[in-house]
Amino acid sequence: MANSRRKLIFNIYIGFYCSAVIQICICSQFTSSSIDQFNKDRGAFPVAINGEIFPWHELRLPTMVIPLHYDLFVHPNLTSLDFVASEKIEVLVRDATQFIILHSKDLEIMNVTLQSEEDLRYRKPGRKLTVLSYPAHEQIALLIPEKLMADLRYSVAIDFQAKLADGFEGFYKSTYRTLGGETRTIAVTDFEPTQARMAFPCFDEPLFKANFSIKIRRESRHVALSNMPKVKTIELEGGLLEDHFETTVKMSTYLVAYIVCDFNSVSGTASSGVKVSIHAAPDKWSQTHYALEASLKLLDFYENYFDIHYPLAKLDLVAIPDFESGAMENWGLVTYRETSLLFDPKTSSTSDKLWVTRVIAHELAHQWFGNLVTMEWWNDIWLNEGFATYMELISVNVTYPELQFDDDFLDMCFEVIKRDSLNSSHPLSNQAETSTHIKEMFDAVSYKKGACILNMLKDFLSEEKFKKGIIHYLKKFSYRNAKNDDLWSSLSDDCLESDSTSGGFCYSDSKTASNTLTFLREKVEVKQVMATWTLQKGIPLVVVNREGRSLRLQQERFLNGVFKEDPEWGALQERYLWHIPVTYSTSSSNAIHRHILKSKTDTLDLPEKTSWVKFNVDSNGYYIVHYEGHGWDQLITLLNQNHTFLRPKDRISLIHDAFQLVSAGRLTLDKALDLTRYLQHETSIPALLKGLEYLELFYHITERRNVSDVTENLKHYLLQYFKPVIDMQSWCDEGSVWDRRLRSALLKLACYLNHAPCVQKATELFSQWMESSGKLNIPTDVLKIVYSVGAQTTAGWNYLLEQYERSLSGAEKNKILYALSTSKHQEKLMKLIELGMEGKVIKTQDLAALLHAIARNPKGQQLAWNFVKENWIHLLKKFELGSFPIRMIISGTTSHFSSKDELQEVKLFFESLKAQGSHLEIFQIVLETISKNIKWLEKNLPTLRNWLLISI
């Protein structure tokens, strides 16, 4: 029954694939002409490890042969920590060839045979193939004695084995400790972007979608999980079991997943009948219930929103003890870091709850964006990650409105602006060929900028039009690959088909190209507009100059740390032009006015006289605004007179833009600081926290540089200015999400500044907690604060470390580790680093965050940096070059530096790494950031000093 069903799926799939694959071959440069080149000029090709000529010299695979189906068998041994495996790959030959190129990394290939359709029909044995290996490109070549004929199918059988990997990639081992102190091992996969090749030889590129039939052999004490539901389990000799899973839908290799573990689970059923299960280590089963509730809600939401059923019968979400990133969207088997899935009501704060909800929302969105429709190549990874991040906003706002995620999304856009306003940024759609370059694409620009420009596009088109467009995109490209232009076409076609109007615009009539829409009587092409946001890096600055009822607009490239008077400024502005959908409001009406700024300069006429104008309404646009002339003064006056005339998000964006403009030399620091004076009357907590964030940032900058007079005066100003709202805070978990987050932020700052009432209360709670042997439930909103104050004594620090080792809550462990990193004693900080390198008490997955936290501590900043310099080779043994942890370690231990000596030291270190062959984009980001910090202090420290003297 299972075999006949698989054959039916296979035959349907072949017909569908053959109709779609022609475009791949036409577009690809990797055709039979490449083979001809190999036959004519073998000297242009690399040498395999056995000394023979390797018949392929490109990083990308050829498309003469494409996979249709993988039949994969895996048997991991969790005692010897290795695995044996075999696979049969059914392939379709598009062009005659005498070799097949596959990806393979760190696998021992033991035997390869080839069977034709005729061989299979008459059960003839396969022909043994010679295998060449070229590790530099992570490729193997299977040499065929006789040419494979075009338009025929063949079966390639490969036997192979390998060790379970030590890190976090491929098929790797992970361990956890039980309450009884026993260490247990599980085996888990993580393949994105290019690590499926570490688990089985494959066509490891997103374009080569195929079906997968997976069998896993295991011991009876374990369970096996994979993408699809289990069909049957076969009992074997010696007590072993073999699980057979349903054949997958068509998908890319990076989405394949399997796990062998001894976890427990909790399950529920979605409205559509999909079984949803949350899996975790047995002792952490009680922390899985919120994730199940959230997953069921979010799966129902997405099925309704996309109007496309989740195509699998089940969805497993698994908390992995050792995991490099936050989560991975494997189709039907989503894997998570424990802190991104598990929720412990006793130790998880409201921010922890929002994080878990967001990550689940993100990964479930990927089941459509990324899994159902996949980018053609990693240069467009933002189509996966930007969309999933954007859908966090849409889904969480509907399913959990009480979490008030809207303002967090705005803050996320502000975060990526800091990165994108450096010259070292990159376009959303960016060239990426090597594995290291591809890993670097998984950054803030792809995730956060991608989401922010999608939100801007939604505001531009209207929510209804945008939603219809993305549904059209998903349905049109289901089980296929897509690129930037396919999305823009879908968004345009949708409005053309609906032929409706909304918000002053609709798509043009059928005589006009489908990519064109009419916006306020202007002809605008979606593709043309969005190309300016995806194909060039950076963020625009809109300069507004109001004279009477006339608004003169000018756009520039916004550059953080580069001033207009700097010699390089002009060259950095060349050839940058955006199509900016600007919005603005005025004092004279509640209307939102819209205009597309497509040229360097433009002029708008206001219909009536107005006392102020505010651009980028609700901060839906991805741009910064500068008001020349009296523009800023008018807005500051307005905030002081009645800040509620402006929307809460507009007040937040004014604070943000003002301080960003200071960093670009376009606004004086005292003007930006004057803008914050109204905050004592602010009724919006996110706006209040945004102002506090910049003042706290300046405190930490001057503290790290040991500018004692400014640090002391700023401390005095903060405690004096925010005293009324600090004194209002209780030490309990009550109020709205933002009430609770305000409590956490203010009390954390007050205790850090040694505000006596705060330190006294935290010390009292910590003593009670220690006396109760850690059984007292401290309110989760203040848990990190209490631990941080307690960690300042030797007894408290030692007790926290013991509690860290005992705790079963990842949320609590994070809070304890942060607290331990705030110690003023370097020997304690060094002990933490040693424990992180050892990887037992403090897991290796937490090492990057630990080094970052220690570097933020003035007593630990030099310690952390010296450690990285001296142990770089050891760090590379733990994390891959280009991986998120390596980038976090580099940035976290250096980007706060602000002196020329530190800049030179970092520069020399990076040059030494480049000489060893290590070159990362993060190097230039860090150097720019340090240069910006130096420039900021040189220009603004005297102003900050004088402003504080006047203000206190």
Side-chain angles (χ1 to χ4, degrees):
M1 187 69 182
N3 286 339
S4 62
R5 183 174 180 278
R6 200 202 64 69
K7 187 176 180 182
L8 175 63
I9 293 170
F10 180 74
N11 289 336
I12 293 170
Y13 167 68
I14 288 292
F16 176 78
Y17 199 104
C18 289
S19 65
V21 81
I22 295 168
Q23 181 183 357
I24 300 173
C25 297
I26 291 171
C27 296
S28 176
Q29 60 180 308
F30 309 141
T31 58
S32 55
S33 61
S34 302
I35 301 171
D36 294 337
Q37 184 191 349
F38 171 66
N39 290 329
K40 291 175 185 176
D41 184 15
R42 297 195 170 218
F45 285 78
V47 178
I49 56 174
N50 68 350
E52 292 186 36
I53 300 297
F54 192 81
W56 192 250
H57 57 76
E58 305 283 351
L59 279 166
R60 300 276 294 274
L61 297 182
T63 54
M64 295 95 68
V65 178
I66 57 173
L68 300 172
H69 178 266
Y70 293 78
D71 206 326
L72 178 63
F73 163 80
V74 184
H75 180 196
N77 186 319
L78 300 188
T79 304
S80 58
L81 303 178
D82 53 18
F83 67 94
V84 294
S86 63
E87 65 181 346
K88 285 187 179 179
I89 312 174
E90 296 182 70
V91 299
L92 178 66
V93 177
R94 298 304 302 167
D95 286 301
T97 180
Q98 282 191 270
F99 57 81
I100 298 173
I101 307 298
L102 294 166
H103 285 113
S104 179
K105 181 182 179 183
D106 298 334
L107 299 174
E108 182 187 347
I109 310 293
M110 296 180 291
N111 188 50
V112 180
T113 57
L114 177 78
Q115 289 177 295
S116 66
E117 288 178 287
E118 184 180 338
D119 294 336
L120 290 167
R121 191 178 305 121
Y122 295 106
R123 299 186 179 182
K124 293 180 181 179
R127 287 167 289 174
K128 189 165 183 175
L129 302 185
T130 300
V131 183
L132 300 182
S133 178
Y134 186 51
H137 288 179
E138 300 173 353
Q139 294 172 355
I140 57 172
L142 312 182
L143 304 186
I144 318 295
E146 299 172 8
K147 265 190 180 182
L148 300 181
M149 303 307 294
D151 300 322
L152 294 181
R153 284 179 284 164
Y154 295 84
S155 176
V156 179
I158 307 176
D159 298 323
F160 57 99
Q161 63 185 18
K163 286 282 186 184
L164 289 171
D166 286 326
F168 305 91
E169 299 178 333
F171 194 23
Y172 70 93
K173 63 179 181 288
S174 173
T175 61
Y176 72 93
R177 288 184 67 188
T178 66
L179 267 175
E182 178 191 355
T183 298
R184 294 183 181 175
T185 301
I186 69 168
V188 60
T189 60
D190 192 52
F191 292 161
E192 189 179 38
T194 58
Q195 284 84 49
R197 64 195 67 173
M198 295 175 67
F200 58 99
C202 56
F203 297 79
D204 199 13
E205 294 178 7
L207 200 60
F208 292 108
K209 290 194 170 187
N211 301 94
F212 297 81
S213 298
I214 296 173
K215 303 179 186 71
I216 299 176
R217 195 168 290 179
R218 59 178 173 86
E219 295 179 45
S220 58
R221 63 193 172 102
H222 293 130
V223 295
L225 302 169
S226 190
N227 303 86
M228 302 297 287
K230 186 168 63 175
V231 176
K232 63 180 178 180
T233 298
I234 299 173
E235 291 188 18
L236 304 171
E237 291 181 9
L240 292 176
L241 302 175
E242 187 173 286
D243 294 325
H244 293 215
F245 297 88
E246 282 185 23
T247 300
T248 71
V249 294
K250 193 171 78 165
M251 64 186 192
S252 303
T253 48
Y254 78 89
L255 295 171
V256 174
Y258 38 89
I259 299 170
V260 176
C261 63
D262 62 346
F263 286 178
N264 292 345
S265 65
V266 58
S267 300
T269 306
S271 300
S272 59
V274 176
K275 182 182 179 182
V276 178
S277 304
I278 315 297
H279 304 256
D283 294 333
K284 298 177 183 179
W285 178 84
S286 62
Q287 300 174 43
T288 60
H289 299 288
Y290 175 71
L292 179 63
E293 173 205 307
S295 301
L296 290 168
K297 269 192 183 184
L298 287 159
L299 188 62
D300 285 346
F301 169 82
Y302 283 133
E303 290 195 306
N304 291 324
Y305 185 90
F306 295 135
D307 191 33
I308 301 172
H309 283 301
Y310 172 75
L312 310 185
K314 63 90 175 174
L315 174 64
D316 290 320
L317 296 82
V318 189
I320 306 298
D322 299 279
F323 204 75
E324 186 174 274
S325 59
M328 176 56 208
E329 66 269 18
N330 316 298
W331 214 343
L333 181 59
V334 188
T335 45
Y336 294 78
R337 185 179 280 232
E338 288 182 333
T339 50
S340 298
L341 187 66
L342 304 182
F343 181 82
D344 176 17
K346 293 181 180 178
T347 58
S348 298
S349 67
T350 185
S351 294
D352 294 326
K353 189 173 192 176
L354 175 60
W355 174 248
V356 168
T357 312
R358 282 183 59 187
V359 179
I360 294 173
H362 184 102
E363 304 310 321
L364 265 57
H366 270 311
Q367 307 302 301
W368 286 264
F369 281 103
N371 299 9
L372 186 65
V373 180
T374 312
M375 75 275 136
E376 283 192 0
W377 182 246
W378 300 107
N379 61 304
D380 277 334
I381 185 59
W382 82 271
L383 284 175
N384 283 19
E385 299 302 348
F387 252 115
T389 306
Y390 167 76
M391 288 309 301
E392 292 175 29
L393 170 70
I394 304 302
S395 62
V396 174
N397 275 353
V398 172
T399 54
Y400 287 92
E402 69 275 13
L403 292 179
Q404 299 176 290
F405 179 47
D406 223 29
D407 290 303
D408 276 286
F409 186 87
L410 178 59
D411 215 41
M412 183 191 72
C413 295
F414 292 158
E415 283 176 29
V416 74
I417 283 171
K418 283 187 286 192
R419 165 76 180 90
D420 203 26
S421 59
L422 297 175
N423 191 46
S424 53
S425 187
H426 64 79
L428 272 172
S429 187
N430 195 35
Q431 282 300 108
E433 294 297 329
T434 69
S435 292
T436 299
H437 290 155
I438 291 167
K439 285 172 188 169
E440 287 188 287
M441 286 295 290
F442 288 78
D443 67 355
V445 172
S446 295
Y447 284 72
K448 297 177 181 178
K449 180 179 180 177
C452 297
I453 69 157
L454 288 170
N455 187 55
M456 177 175 68
L457 182 59
K458 180 259 296 181
D459 183 62
F460 169 51
L461 296 177
S462 86
E463 189 158 0
E464 181 189 358
K465 295 281 187 288
F466 184 78
K467 179 181 175 181
K468 286 182 179 177
I470 60 175
I471 290 171
H472 180 254
Y473 168 79
L474 288 171
K475 289 183 175 180
K476 182 175 180 179
F477 293 97
S478 289
Y479 304 103
R480 293 165 60 194
N481 298 80
K483 52 187 183 298
N484 266 331
D485 289 354
D486 297 322
L487 176 61
W488 312 143
S489 296
S490 292
L491 286 163
S492 300
D493 291 344
D494 170 70
C495 201
L496 180 67
E497 290 161 7
S498 66
D499 193 30
S500 61
T501 60
S502 175
F505 62 88
C506 73
Y507 290 99
S508 56
D509 61 33
S510 57
K511 295 177 183 177
T512 312
S514 65
N515 269 13
T516 306
L517 57 86
T518 302
F519 180 85
L520 297 176
R521 301 182 183 85
E522 289 183 72
K523 290 288 178 65
V524 180
E525 289 193 5
V526 175
K527 178 181 174 181
Q528 188 180 0
V529 170
M530 296 311 295
T532 69
W533 297 95
T534 59
L535 302 181
Q536 63 181 354
K537 64 183 177 181
I539 176 171
L541 169 67
V542 175
V543 181
V544 181
N545 200 326
R546 182 164 71 92
E547 296 176 3
R549 286 168 54 180
S550 178
L551 290 174
R552 192 170 68 82
L553 307 182
Q554 179 180 333
Q555 67 162 289
E556 304 169 2
R557 181 185 175 196
F558 179 73
L559 290 161
N560 207 326
V562 182
F563 298 171
K564 204 167 184 178
E565 57 269 25
D566 292 341
E568 66 268 30
W569 189 87
L572 293 173
Q573 293 290 332
E574 288 178 8
R575 297 185 303 279
Y576 280 88
L577 182 71
W578 287 266
H579 290 190
I580 310 171
V582 297
T583 56
Y584 61 96
S585 59
T586 70
S587 63
S588 54
S589 79
N590 291 323
I592 298 174
H593 305 276
R594 297 177 182 273
H595 175 70
I596 298 179
L597 180 60
K598 296 186 288 186
S599 54
K600 284 286 188 183
T601 60
D602 207 346
T603 302
L604 302 178
D605 293 321
L606 295 171
E608 50 195 323
K609 191 176 180 181
T610 182
S611 59
W612 54 265
V613 61
K614 165 67 175 67
F615 272 72
N616 199 4
V617 178
D618 275 337
S619 282
N620 283 317
Y622 187 74
Y623 56 93
I624 287 176
V625 184
H626 177 44
Y627 303 91
E628 287 195 329
H630 299 293
W632 280 107
D633 292 328
Q634 290 162 352
L635 290 166
I636 290 170
T637 300
L638 174 67
L639 288 172
N640 285 318
Q641 288 176 349
N642 188 346
H643 65 278
T644 60
F645 279 139
L646 291 174
R647 302 159 189 256
K649 285 185 180 178
D650 286 336
R651 305 197 295 269
I652 297 171
S653 72
L654 282 176
I655 296 169
H656 168 265
D657 285 7
F659 285 107
Q660 291 302 307
L661 288 163
V662 170
S663 294
R666 301 300 287 268
L667 194 67
T668 60
L669 178 60
D670 54 352
K671 183 82 73 179
L673 289 167
D674 285 344
L675 185 147
T676 66
R677 291 189 189 278
Y678 92 95
L679 285 173
Q680 58 190 321
H681 307 295
E682 180 56 82
T683 50
S684 164
I685 292 174
L688 179 61
L689 288 176
K690 178 54 64 178
L692 182 65
E693 175 189 316
Y694 282 104
L695 294 170
E696 192 174 349
L697 173 67
F698 301 153
Y699 179 84
H700 290 305
I701 289 172
T702 55
E703 181 189 34
R704 279 194 290 261
R705 283 299 303 277
N706 200 26
V707 188
S708 55
D709 64 318
V710 175
T711 305
E712 200 56 38
N713 286 341
L714 192 47
K715 170 184 171 180
H716 184 71
Y717 176 79
L718 284 164
L719 291 176
Q720 173 187 295
Y721 190 79
F722 290 100
K723 186 177 188 300
V725 68
I726 290 172
D727 290 345
M728 285 170 56
Q729 302 309 308
S730 62
W731 290 72
C732 60
D733 293 338
E734 61 182 16
S736 71
V737 163
W738 280 106
D739 289 332
R740 296 176 65 176
R741 292 175 69 173
L742 178 68
R743 176 182 304 122
S744 296
L746 285 174
L747 293 179
K748 179 184 174 187
L749 176 62
C751 280
Y752 186 83
L753 297 177
N754 287 315
H755 183 49
C758 184
V759 174
Q760 183 179 338
K761 180 65 176 178
T763 302
E764 178 186 322
L765 285 171
F766 187 79
S767 297
Q768 293 171 2
W769 178 71
M770 277 185 67
E771 287 166 10
S772 73
S773 300
K775 293 182 174 61
L776 176 72
N777 289 332
I778 299 172
T780 59
D781 294 342
V782 298
L783 196 54
K784 184 191 282 188
I785 301 158
V786 171
Y787 287 165
S788 297
V789 170
Q792 302 315 306
T793 68
T794 297
W797 194 92
N798 290 335
Y799 186 76
L800 279 166
L801 186 57
E802 291 170 14
Q803 189 66 19
Y804 178 88
E805 196 167 354
R806 285 195 295 263
S807 177
L808 290 174
S809 164
E812 182 180 37
K813 288 172 90 78
N814 275 355
K815 294 175 180 65
I816 293 175
L817 195 57
Y818 170 83
L820 292 170
S821 76
T822 64
S823 172
K824 303 295 188 291
H825 301 284
Q826 290 198 342
E827 69 276 9
K828 288 183 169 60
L829 300 178
M830 196 61 225
K831 182 176 181 179
L832 292 178
I833 295 174
E834 289 166 357
L835 290 172
M837 287 295 286
E838 184 186 38
K840 292 179 181 176
V841 176
I842 299 175
K843 281 187 167 285
T844 303
Q845 66 174 5
D846 298 315
L847 179 60
L850 173 64
L851 286 168
H852 191 184
I854 290 173
R856 287 200 302 262
N857 179 345
K859 298 295 184 183
Q861 56 181 344
Q862 197 60 43
L863 179 76
W865 168 231
N866 288 340
F867 176 82
V868 170
K869 286 187 297 181
E870 293 162 11
N871 292 273
W872 179 252
I873 293 171
H874 299 296
L875 290 169
L876 283 184
K877 289 177 182 175
K878 295 182 177 294
F879 307 108
E880 290 283 324
L881 186 69
S883 65
F884 175 73
I886 283 293
R887 286 179 279 144
M888 185 181 185
I889 287 168
I890 293 170
S891 175
T893 56
T894 58
S895 58
H896 57 279
F897 287 153
S898 57
S899 73
K900 290 179 180 177
D901 287 344
E902 289 168 329
L903 175 62
Q904 185 61 23
E905 188 180 331
V906 173
K907 198 178 286 185
L908 289 172
F909 178 63
F910 288 168
E911 285 171 2
S912 72
L913 295 185
K914 288 178 190 176
Q916 298 166 29
S918 299
H919 181 71
L920 296 174
E921 188 182 82
I922 194 69
F923 294 170
Q924 189 55 37
I925 296 169
V926 164
L927 294 176
E928 266 194 81
T929 302
I930 298 172
S931 298
K932 181 195 72 172
N933 295 344
I934 293 167
K935 204 166 191 177
W936 193 96
L937 276 170
E938 287 175 348
K939 185 175 178 65
N940 296 301
L941 185 58
T943 305
L944 179 59
R945 179 179 278 118
N946 293 335
W947 188 86
L948 286 168
L949 289 172
I950 295 167
S951 302
I952 58 176

